[in-house]
Amino acid sequence: MNFRVASDPEYFDKNWNILKHAIREIFKCNDNARHLSFGELHRHAYYMVLHNFGEKLYSKLVATMTSHVKEIAKSVEASEGSSFLEELNTKWNDYYKALEIIRDILMYMDRTYIPSTKNKPVYELGLNLWRENVIYSNQIRNRLSNTLLEFVFKERAGEDVNRELIRNVTKMLIDLGPSVYEQVFETPFLQVLAESYKAESHKYIEFV
Amino acid sequence: MVEKFLTVPPFECAWREDLKFQEAGRGCVAFDAFACNDVTLVFRENVGSQGYHYKRDSSPHYTVILGSHRNRRLKIEVNGETVVDVVGVGLCCSNSFQSYWISIYDGFISIGNGKYPFQDVVFQWSDSRPNCNVQYIGLSSWDKHVKYRNVNVLSLKHTLMPLSKHMLFGDYQVEDDVTAADKQLHMDYDKWGLNNFLESWDLSDMLFIVGPEERPVPAHKPILAASGNFPLCSSFAITLPTVSYPLLHALLHYIYTGWTQIPQEQLDSLRALSLQFQVMPLVKQCEEVMERIKVDNKLFDTGKNVELTYPCIGPHCSTLPSLPVSIQRLVQLKLSGQYSDVNIYIESYGFVARVHRIVLSLWSIPFAKMFTNGMSESMSSEVTLRDVPPEAFKAMIDFLYDGQLNEKIIDSGSLLLQLLLLADRFGVAFLHQECCKMLLECLSQDSLCPLLHVVSSIPSCRLLKETLQRRIAMNFDYFISASTDFVLLDDTTFFNIIKHPDLTVTSEEKVLNAILMFGMNANELFAWEVVDQLIINSKPELLFGERLQLVSDLLSFVRFPLLQHSLLDKLQNSHIIRHIPVLQSLVQEAINFAKHGLGRPENENNVRFQHRRSSYRELQYICDGDDHGVLYFAGTSYGEHQWVNPLLAEAKKITITASSPHSRYTDPKVLVSRTYQGTCFAGPRLENGHNCSWWMIDLGQDHQLMCNYYTMRQDGSKAFPRCWNIQGSADGKSWRDLRVHENDRTVCKPGQFASWPVVGPNALLPFRYFRVVLTGPTTDATNPWNFCICYLELYGYFL
């Protein structure tokens, strides 16, 4: 079996390039995964960890994923008006699917290298990167909060809104951790709600 | 259900009364199709007439065309008008049957790839003016023949989870979804098993359709075939209109997880269902519980659940040995290939096995992901693996079907090791564990180093690694003298051995030698003096290369103060010490210790000044019949009292046996009595058809000896031995030659003493048992197999 490779000085770079290419393809479009071999990519990742390149592999993965997430953040930031939420949702769905595939490929790293370190497993890493770079981006965070509230109040006012979209986006916030959901949606939502009830109740009091 | 194939000629459309949704406007059709392009399905309110063509249809209908425009587009038409026309999705595969499903729910059309309805959605579209009356399904074509098979119509009455996710209703609440935390749990290696596939669409190849609501419940043919007798051959779906879902669920739960529960009053129905499908262990268990309830009526309690657990033997939940799945039948399925769904190839070797994906996946998360996560292998019925040793892979596949390690593999150490690596790579935890267990059981001294070399890189083999490191540390002398294999170990492993608390060595000088050899990546054995010469014309950087720092670090684990003074002096005047500053200070420290004692109190805690936890006592040969040997030492209870015959002492320290029964002339006491005896021999016994004569010493379970010298004394006869061996053994069964005498003419007088050194690596292995054994006839022609000695003594390092 493959035990001499470790002495090849270019071993890591060669194999990492294969993985990096695959990760980029999967991020570009989930559908590309159909043309990639799980067996091959899993094998490369397995041997890299076996040859003590776990740490290097992980840091390269973080770099690749971070740069990708930053690109997404830019494109979401650039989206205009009402397409903002849709763009965010589409990107999230694609990202999430890609993340699952990447986690599968790197499962040996998750299983054997990660527990001996303080690093986060691939799935968690992916969610953290998304949270820090996309949701908490200056141009996105408040806009997201406001857009969601706007949608909710439109809906309460009887207007026709895309409920599935809101459902998906709030689901994303919950997946990212309860605190994210609270900060970005629940707290501002309850505040505005309280104010609107206050206003309404004032109206009633005045009416009476 | 349509017959095996249904071929639709160009420009035609097949209609059947039974190809219809149960409820108008809502339903799902799943099918396989073989076409170059244009797999066309028409959904109408009524059956189409003969010669029907959708282009001419004026009544309301939906048409879905997969692979339109020469297999480049997906089209949906409403009443003949194109409403969807997208490039590159849901296309056909021209060289084989491909599976699709199409569901319609009040004008909401979902199209998916693959055998599992509601999974792998490729396209969805919602009609703003839904036609809620379409019910009949027509299978059509364009200008080429299209073959259809396995056409199944499913009801959507029962709300289906996977689909509901995509539907345009629902509130802001999300509790019904699988949460992120759950998904993580599913990757738990220790709990992975068939339970993960219970009622899962993943890898399912058949459906139960239960109850009046016609709820589809997916299952896996190979599993069912091996656990009972289900009517699987004839159809894709088993329809059970009178069986309720909870009842079928209870049955499947039992098969997939090894246990189930059911309200008491339904026990009888569960028994009947199990009997219908011949799931005999469950039938038996139901009957047992019913019997118990009958005997003791108080046990009966309507609405109370009874739990039924398959009495498993295996330690792992939900892998084969602990499930009511018949191993024999599963192995038969493997041999016959029935219901198998993937061919496995190994690159540059070829075909290895035709297997069932579900069987591989229930053991292995990597295989499960390979077959389901949507990458290239998930779509293909052929999988090619690389970097997989074929024999070991076949052995793994065998294990995945029967859960047992084959004898042949156990006997072959290298195959076992390859199997361990495969188990690690494919995450088969149970096989991994079995391999580690076997490797530990079959360890031989000479396989330790190569094994450790491989195992040290596998993070999941920690226990095995630690055991091997300890074994090597305890037999350190042997490992650094038998071969240079140890220099191949990685730095960390060697480091762990050197600083191991159980490191046992006859001399600290050997630790020094080993470190230098390791540092130089030596391909032959040598001592520090050789390095001392080499270093005159070289530099430490050149000699040790990358391992220079490691050598410096390791030197501090050598307990120089335990070395003899003369050796320390020699070291102090060596060349090597001038090149390695650490060595200089360590040697200086040791010399100061010899001169001034511990000196500063902090030295008391310095391990370098302490003897190792277990250390050898040197029992050195001085002359024939001296009182320095181990048998004499045993006579004093290892230095506790005056010598007495060790076999007559109160607490027996040693045992001596002979190949022939005890008699006047075959008396073990004589051998250690230190007195001359005219006639004393061990007679022959037959072992494996050969004459065999020997004297054997057992040092007891607390003691071992690395034998480096031994003495024998001829009795009064002239039966001189010519061919014999001295052997050592750890268990009294398998023996290693310590010294082989062939045609040795040393003994030539009655009563003569004779002694020989034992050299070579085996002399450095500690053993509990020793024996001298005749391997050829003596010089006495009448009784050539009497081994006539009246004295035996062993020397060496005693532990």
Side-chain angles (χ1 to χ4, degrees):
Chain A
M1 233 174 290
N2 205 324
F3 265 94
R4 272 143 282 118
V5 285
S7 54
D8 176 356
E10 285 165 29
Y11 168 77
F12 179 83
D13 290 334
K14 267 193 243 165
N15 284 274
W16 165 245
N17 283 336
I18 296 171
L19 276 183
K20 186 171 76 179
H21 173 75
I23 291 171
R24 289 234 170 112
E25 285 295 301
I26 295 166
F27 272 137
K28 218 186 281 168
C29 169
N30 301 144
D31 202 42
N32 288 343
R34 293 167 41 152
H35 310 294
L36 296 166
S37 158
F38 172 84
E40 272 303 275
L41 296 171
H42 175 262
R43 178 177 73 95
H44 286 302
Y46 170 73
Y47 279 116
M48 274 196 241
V49 176
L50 208 57
H51 294 315
N52 280 322
F53 289 116
E55 199 182 332
K56 219 168 159 188
L57 176 61
Y58 190 81
S59 65
K60 293 272 189 185
L61 175 75
V62 173
T64 307
M65 284 178 57
T66 309
S67 84
H68 178 72
V69 172
K70 288 203 162 129
E71 271 170 42
I72 297 180
K74 265 187 215 142
S75 94
V76 175
E77 283 161 14
S79 65
E80 303 276 331
S82 60
S83 69
F84 167 71
L85 219 49
E86 269 158 38
E87 175 75 4
L88 181 66
N89 184 41
T90 320
K91 290 281 190 231
W92 163 251
N93 286 338
D94 291 349
Y95 178 77
Y96 192 84
K97 270 184 219 153
L99 182 61
E100 285 185 311
I101 297 175
I102 292 163
R103 175 195 57 185
D104 290 349
I105 294 170
L106 297 175
M107 72 171 102
Y108 191 75
M109 181 181 81
D110 263 353
R111 182 187 170 199
T112 59
Y113 163 72
I114 298 294
S116 64
T117 65
K118 282 181 194 151
N119 295 326
K120 297 269 178 271
V122 176
Y123 178 80
E124 226 174 294
L125 168 74
L127 295 190
N128 290 353
L129 287 175
W130 181 270
R131 191 177 57 222
E132 299 309 322
N133 293 288
V134 180
I135 301 302
Y136 287 172
S137 137
N138 288 336
Q139 283 103 308
I140 293 179
R141 186 172 172 165
N142 289 334
R143 198 169 159 199
L144 176 59
S145 261
N146 295 338
T147 317
L148 278 176
L149 292 181
E150 210 177 289
F151 261 76
V152 173
F153 284 98
K154 263 190 200 164
E155 200 254 343
R156 281 167 53 87
E159 274 183 57
D160 198 15
V161 295
N162 189 343
R163 296 177 116 205
E164 198 207 4
L165 184 60
I166 299 182
R167 186 184 134 96
N168 288 344
V169 173
T170 46
K171 164 93 170 55
M172 167 187 79
L173 294 178
I174 290 171
D175 281 349
L176 292 173
S179 65
V180 182
Y181 177 75
E182 259 170 47
Q183 288 168 17
V184 177
F185 182 65
E186 200 178 61
T187 315
F189 174 69
L190 291 177
Q191 259 169 20
V192 177
L193 203 63
E195 274 162 33
S196 84
Y197 277 129
K198 220 195 228 163
E200 257 178 73
S201 59
H202 274 297
K203 254 191 249 164
Y204 274 111
I205 293 167
E206 278 163 30
F207 186 74
V208 168
Chain B
M1 196 62 211
V2 177
E3 295 80 22
K4 280 237 136 157
F5 297 110
L6 174 76
T7 306
V8 178
F11 305 112
E12 285 193 18
C13 188
W15 295 96
R16 288 172 56 128
E17 279 292 340
D18 60 345
L19 280 184
K20 66 177 257 199
F21 295 155
Q22 213 192 14
E23 188 187 3
R26 295 174 177 185
C28 176
V29 57
F31 60 96
D32 296 345
F34 187 131
C36 299
N37 45 268
D38 287 282
V39 173
T40 306
L41 273 85
V42 186
F43 300 87
R44 272 180 114 240
E45 292 170 18
N46 298 298
V47 173
S49 58
Q50 208 166 18
Y52 169 91
H53 192 265
Y54 62 90
K55 287 285 180 203
R56 293 191 298 269
D57 192 351
S58 53
S59 58
H61 67 279
Y62 290 124
T63 309
V64 177
I65 309 169
L66 305 161
S68 178
H69 294 78
R70 296 275 163 264
N71 202 13
R72 284 196 295 268
R73 288 161 180 275
L74 167 76
K75 271 174 82 168
I76 300 179
E77 297 178 359
V78 179
N79 308 333
E81 254 177 72
T82 303
V83 291
V84 170
D85 186 2
V86 286
V87 179
V89 289
L91 303 185
C92 313
C93 168
S94 52
N95 51 23
S96 66
F97 270 105
Q98 208 181 350
S99 310
Y100 309 89
W101 57 267
I102 299 174
S103 84
I104 299 186
Y105 191 99
D106 295 346
F108 181 65
I109 301 179
S110 307
I111 298 163
N113 248 331
K115 282 182 185 166
Y116 321 117
F118 320 120
Q119 293 233 316
D120 298 316
V121 179
V122 293
F123 191 80
Q124 288 183 320
W125 176 78
S126 184
D127 190 354
S128 52
R129 277 165 300 162
N131 177 344
C132 299
N133 297 316
V134 292
Q135 196 162 15
Y136 289 88
I137 303 153
L139 308 172
S140 187
S141 62
W142 183 240
D143 60 348
K144 299 240 165 55
H145 283 84
V146 179
K147 279 186 196 161
Y148 290 93
R149 72 172 187 200
N150 286 340
V151 185
N152 275 279
V153 184
L154 308 168
S155 145
L156 287 183
K157 258 194 195 163
H158 197 90
T159 318
L160 289 154
M161 263 282 295
L163 193 65
S164 66
K165 265 201 231 170
H166 301 284
M167 279 193 210
L168 294 167
F169 54 71
D171 218 344
Y172 298 125
Q173 271 144 25
V174 286
E175 291 114 351
D176 57 337
D177 279 300
V178 181
T179 63
D182 276 348
K183 283 198 175 173
Q184 287 299 76
L185 282 179
H186 289 168
M187 292 283 271
D188 191 334
Y189 277 76
D190 294 330
K191 293 193 185 109
W192 186 263
L194 191 56
N195 53 323
N196 296 72
F197 294 92
L198 173 64
E199 292 181 27
S200 162
W201 292 98
D202 278 344
L203 304 178
S204 65
D205 51 2
M206 59 88 58
L207 285 175
F208 287 98
I209 294 174
V210 288
E213 79 274 22
E214 302 199 340
R215 175 172 178 154
V217 179
H220 307 83
K221 284 184 181 177
I223 300 302
L224 297 183
S227 43
N229 187 7
F230 293 79
L232 297 168
C233 294
S234 52
S235 66
F236 171 79
I238 298 177
T239 313
L240 304 167
T242 56
V243 173
S244 71
Y245 168 71
L247 202 59
L248 180 75
H249 174 78
L251 173 69
L252 291 179
H253 201 281
Y254 184 77
I255 295 173
Y256 279 69
T257 69
W259 74 277
T260 193
Q261 56 179 10
I262 191 155
Q264 277 189 1
E265 63 274 18
Q266 284 190 37
L267 261 177
D268 199 34
S269 320
L270 183 61
R271 192 195 78 96
L273 187 66
S274 321
L275 194 62
Q276 182 188 346
F277 295 125
Q278 300 278 304
V279 183
M280 295 325 281
L282 185 55
V283 174
K284 207 176 126 211
Q285 280 190 289
C286 286
E287 281 170 359
E288 278 170 12
V289 176
M290 283 158 69
E291 196 59 33
R292 247 185 313 183
I293 292 172
K294 215 196 272 171
V295 172
D296 187 355
N297 237 323
K298 268 179 277 174
L299 284 174
F300 189 79
D301 184 1
T302 310
K304 199 177 146 200
N305 274 339
V306 261
E307 219 170 272
L308 302 160
T309 307
Y310 180 69
C312 65
I313 348 139
H316 268 251
C317 290
S318 196
T319 49
L320 287 182
S322 47
L323 294 178
V325 175
S326 155
I327 298 291
Q328 287 90 334
R329 271 195 254 171
L330 209 54
V331 172
Q332 261 170 22
L333 287 183
K334 177 171 173 278
L335 293 176
S336 68
Q338 200 178 14
Y339 310 129
S340 61
D341 50 8
V342 67
N343 284 339
I344 298 193
Y345 296 80
I346 291 176
E347 197 190 58
S348 72
Y349 175 85
F351 174 79
V352 270
R354 177 150 185 77
V355 296
H356 307 82
R357 293 197 254 212
I358 181 71
V359 177
L360 269 55
S361 301
L362 78 93
W363 291 95
S364 153
I365 301 183
F367 273 129
K369 294 293 175 189
M370 179 187 283
F371 296 137
T372 61
N373 85 346
M375 298 181 70
S376 66
E377 289 93 340
S378 320
M379 321 281 175
S380 170
S381 56
E382 289 180 359
V383 167
T384 304
L385 300 172
R386 284 173 71 183
D387 242 329
V388 169
E391 286 314 307
F393 188 79
K394 284 182 199 163
M396 178 167 86
I397 296 288
D398 287 342
F399 181 89
L400 300 186
Y401 277 82
D402 63 16
Q404 281 161 0
L405 272 184
N406 172 328
E407 294 286 326
K408 203 175 75 205
I409 313 234
I410 296 172
D411 293 343
S412 160
S414 63
L415 210 52
L416 197 55
L417 190 57
Q418 288 176 340
L419 197 55
L420 172 66
L421 279 162
L422 285 178
D424 182 55
R425 174 165 156 194
F426 293 104
V428 188
F430 188 37
L431 177 60
H432 188 278
Q433 194 184 311
E434 290 292 294
C435 285
C436 284
K437 219 161 75 184
M438 279 303 154
L439 281 169
L440 279 176
E441 272 174 30
C442 321
L443 275 185
S444 79
Q445 300 292 1
D446 299 310
S447 66
L448 282 179
C449 263
L451 183 60
L452 183 55
H453 176 52
V454 177
V455 164
S456 57
S457 65
I458 310 177
S460 54
C461 291
R462 217 188 71 231
L463 185 69
L464 186 58
K465 186 162 79 182
E466 281 169 8
T467 311
L468 294 172
Q469 284 174 356
R470 182 159 182 272
R471 289 276 285 263
I472 292 180
M474 290 178 72
N475 298 332
F476 194 72
D477 284 86
Y478 177 77
F479 285 103
I480 58 161
S481 318
S483 79
T484 54
D485 280 352
F486 73 96
V487 304
L488 299 175
L489 296 173
D490 64 281
D491 294 2
T492 324
T493 308
F494 187 69
F495 198 88
N496 288 339
I497 293 172
I498 290 292
K499 66 173 196 187
H500 204 286
D502 289 333
L503 184 77
T504 310
V505 67
T506 51
S507 156
E508 293 298 319
E509 189 183 3
K510 297 209 170 170
V511 184
L512 173 65
N513 290 345
I515 292 170
L516 295 176
M517 280 191 271
F518 187 80
M520 284 175 61
N521 229 325
N523 44 28
E524 55 183 340
L525 297 164
F526 51 72
W528 67 271
E529 288 95 338
V530 174
V531 188
D532 197 42
Q533 290 306 308
L534 286 173
I535 213 160
I536 299 174
N537 299 317
S538 181
K539 281 189 294 187
E541 293 78 19
L542 293 175
L543 285 182
F544 301 122
E546 285 180 346
R547 284 181 171 170
L548 178 61
Q549 185 55 44
L550 182 74
V551 168
S552 304
D553 295 345
L554 285 173
L555 284 174
S556 64
F557 292 96
V558 182
R559 303 189 179 183
F560 288 100
L562 306 182
L563 282 173
Q564 283 164 327
H565 201 262
S566 56
L567 190 62
L568 285 172
D569 280 344
K570 218 165 123 193
L571 272 169
Q572 201 181 22
N573 297 318
S574 66
H575 304 286
I576 189 168
I577 207 163
R578 282 194 291 278
H579 288 88
I580 308 176
V582 188
L583 185 61
Q584 185 156 27
S585 65
L586 287 166
V587 170
Q588 196 53 51
E589 177 190 72
I591 290 172
N592 288 342
F593 171 70
K595 280 187 187 150
H596 312 296
L598 276 175
R600 291 187 298 268
E602 66 261 30
N603 282 347
E604 277 176 38
N605 296 325
N606 187 335
V607 288
R608 271 197 297 281
F609 296 101
Q610 292 162 13
H611 280 276
R612 293 193 183 270
R613 189 189 287 176
S614 52
S615 54
Y616 290 98
R617 183 184 179 97
E618 190 177 2
L619 300 171
Q620 203 182 3
Y621 167 81
I622 306 288
C623 65
D624 295 342
D626 64 15
D627 52 9
H628 297 281
V630 69
L631 298 182
Y632 181 90
F633 194 39
T636 65
S637 292
Y638 310 119
E640 283 185 8
H641 51 72
Q642 287 285 304
W643 183 86
V644 291
N645 186 320
L647 296 184
L648 294 171
E650 276 288 304
K652 239 192 236 175
K653 299 289 173 191
I654 55 168
T655 320
I656 297 181
T657 42
S659 51
S660 58
H662 192 102
S663 73
R664 188 144 69 102
Y665 298 119
T666 308
D667 186 352
K669 283 194 294 296
V670 171
L671 224 58
V672 287
S673 68
R674 310 188 61 76
T675 49
Y676 173 70
Q677 181 88 11
T679 308
C680 181
F681 61 83
R685 71 157 77 182
L686 274 176
E687 276 176 16
N688 303 325
H690 296 286
N691 273 324
C692 201
S693 308
W694 44 256
W695 290 95
M696 179 172 83
I697 299 164
D698 173 7
L699 298 175
Q701 61 177 357
D702 300 332
H703 292 285
Q704 288 176 307
L705 177 77
M706 286 195 238
C707 179
N708 62 10
Y709 231 97
Y710 80 105
T711 303
M712 294 194 322
R713 187 179 189 184
Q714 180 72 13
D715 74 351
S717 73
K718 287 189 174 177
F720 307 126
R722 286 296 170 253
C723 302
W724 77 97
N725 293 342
I726 177 160
Q727 299 174 321
S729 167
D731 55 7
K733 289 180 198 116
S734 59
W735 295 90
R736 266 176 187 251
D737 290 334
L738 299 179
R739 186 178 177 117
V740 177
H741 299 266
E742 272 178 43
N743 204 19
D744 186 325
R745 301 181 168 271
T746 314
V747 183
C748 51
K749 280 184 238 154
Q752 179 192 345
F753 278 103
S755 300
W756 295 267
V758 173
V759 290
N762 287 344
L764 298 169
L765 271 180
F767 293 114
R768 171 180 166 182
Y769 298 91
F770 290 88
R771 68 175 186 179
V772 282
V773 53
L774 272 187
T775 54
T778 61
T779 53
D780 182 78
T782 43
N783 288 309
W785 289 99
N786 281 355
F787 199 170
C788 305
I789 54 173
C790 63
Y791 173 85
L792 188 64
E793 185 58 285
L794 307 171
Y795 304 87
Y797 294 93
F798 184 67
L799 188 66

